[in-house]
Amino acid sequence: MPADKLNRPRKAHKSPPRRRAGDVQPPDGASRFYYKGNRQKQLRAFVYTVKLGTLTRAAEALYLSQPSVSLQLQALERELDVRLLERSRRRINLTDAGEALYELARPLVEGWESLDRDFQAKVKGLQSGRLVIAAGNSTIQYLLPDLVRRYRERFPAVQLQLANVTGKDGLALLRADEADFAVGSMLDVPNDIAWAPVYHYDPMLIMPPDHPLAAKASIRLEDLSPYGLILPPQRLSTYRLVDLVFQQRQVPYHVAIEVGGWDVIKEYVAMGLGISIVTGICITEADRARLAVRNLRQYFPQRAYGVVMRKGKFLSTEARAFVDLIRPGLLTHRDYDEPGHSER
């Protein structure tokens, strides 16, 4: 044997680490599953895949590769021992078990992702952040101004966005998580939506002060038939509600003008172009000085306005602070925490 090999120091042999008392040993084969054991990452991949509809979009949103997301999903299904997703060429669909897990996991994932911001808000107060509220034009114009003023006085650093949308578009924003909650009125409440009514307004007939109906002590629904109505567009709930009442009572009516915006409608009525049935939310003291106003609650139902949100939605600290201005503890009832079946 050469001398240099005899004099070369031997490499120390490393023994495997000793098992200490109390060590938890992984089950057989666990080491083969690279994504096993991190439930938070698995659920995050699962929620993003369901929300965005495809593995590709989920991977882009999570800044991961598509195979990585796929492995996360496979590991989650393996650990839960249930099929969560049905994969097709165009889209991924939820199984019944997947639907149940999604309703439980979505608020958790949203909570994780806003944890740092909410923690800072709790410790330092609401010094920053962003709040998006969906609402219709009348809600933004007549109901929200005082609430927005009070919110801005308390939390001036929060970026507040009021999304001016119709009812259907507002629900779409809630389901897409592009709005924290909505404020408005609802006629039909879907299963996946929670609605907490707060404000109630009577239906009002408005007309020029010299209109023939203004001289009547009491007004029947039939008295409106000879006169043209000025109403919002048919796609809006006010038009549908007025039409429903006339149809149910079999009273004829006709619409002279369709136009959007309560201010425009009031202006046209003041000009003598027709009469209108509006919600009391839009009647101001100045309106009562230039219009004849009569309560029609005996024929038309009150309109309720309140907070609209997706069931199971995790509300940020910024959002809860605004809701508490509307009514403290409004969303503490268990119904608003129950998940609903999504209507995506």
Side-chain angles (χ1 to χ4, degrees), residues 203 221 224 241-243 245-246 277 296-302:
L221 194 63
L224 307 185
L241 185 61
V242 169
D243 177 72
V245 171
F246 277 104
I277 301 167
L296 290 183
R297 187 176 176 182
Q298 65 188 76
Y299 299 111
F300 296 87
Q302 281 188 323

Side-chain angles (χ1 to χ4, degrees), residues 18-122:
R18 294 183 179 180
R19 185 189 306 177
R20 294 174 296 180
D23 283 352
V24 178
Q25 295 302 311
D28 292 341
S31 59
R32 293 179 291 129
F33 303 141
Y34 175 73
Y35 290 91
K36 189 177 180 69
N38 195 326
R39 182 59 54 82
Q40 179 178 343
K41 290 183 178 179
Q42 295 169 358
L43 291 178
R44 194 162 180 256
F46 171 70
V47 168
Y48 270 76
T49 300
V50 176
K51 271 173 58 173
L52 301 178
T54 66
L55 288 174
T56 301
R57 292 176 181 174
E60 291 174 353
L62 294 170
Y63 300 99
L64 297 172
S65 66
Q66 184 173 329
S68 297
V69 175
S70 182
L71 286 172
Q72 295 278 13
L73 298 176
Q74 291 173 21
L76 182 61
E77 289 182 323
R78 186 184 301 114
E79 291 182 23
L80 296 179
D81 194 25
V82 68
R83 189 75 168 176
L84 299 171
L85 302 168
E86 295 292 345
R87 297 163 177 82
S88 63
R89 294 183 62 183
R90 292 186 177 181
R91 188 174 177 86
I92 290 178
N93 298 311
L94 285 171
T95 63
D96 290 342
E99 184 75 32
L101 180 63
Y102 182 68
E103 291 172 347
L104 293 171
R106 185 170 181 172
L108 294 176
V109 172
E110 292 171 352
W112 287 330
E113 296 188 343
S114 63
L115 179 62
D116 289 348
R117 182 190 64 189
D118 290 342
F119 172 74
Q120 294 300 326
K122 287 283 188 182

Side-chain angles (χ1 to χ4, degrees), residues 226-247:
Y227 306 103
L229 293 176
I230 303 176
L231 294 179
Q234 295 186 34
R235 70 179 186 276
L236 300 182
S237 58
T238 298
Y239 189 108
R240 292 188 286 117
L241 185 61
V242 169
D243 177 72
L244 178 64
V245 171
F246 277 104
Q247 295 290 348

Side-chain angles (χ1 to χ4, degrees), residues 134-137 163-171 235-236:
N137 186 70
N164 192 342
V165 292
T166 59
K168 289 184 178 179
D169 292 337
L171 293 179
R235 70 179 186 276
L236 300 182

Side-chain angles (χ1 to χ4, degrees), residues 152-190:
R152 293 291 299 156
E153 288 174 353
R154 296 189 187 185
F155 315 113
V158 175
Q159 180 186 353
L160 179 61
Q161 177 184 345
L162 302 178
N164 192 342
V165 292
T166 59
K168 289 184 178 179
D169 292 337
L171 293 179
L173 290 181
L174 294 179
R175 290 177 176 135
D177 275 339
E178 295 177 7
D180 293 274
F181 61 87
V183 178
S185 180
M186 297 198 73
L187 295 180
D188 305 308
V189 184

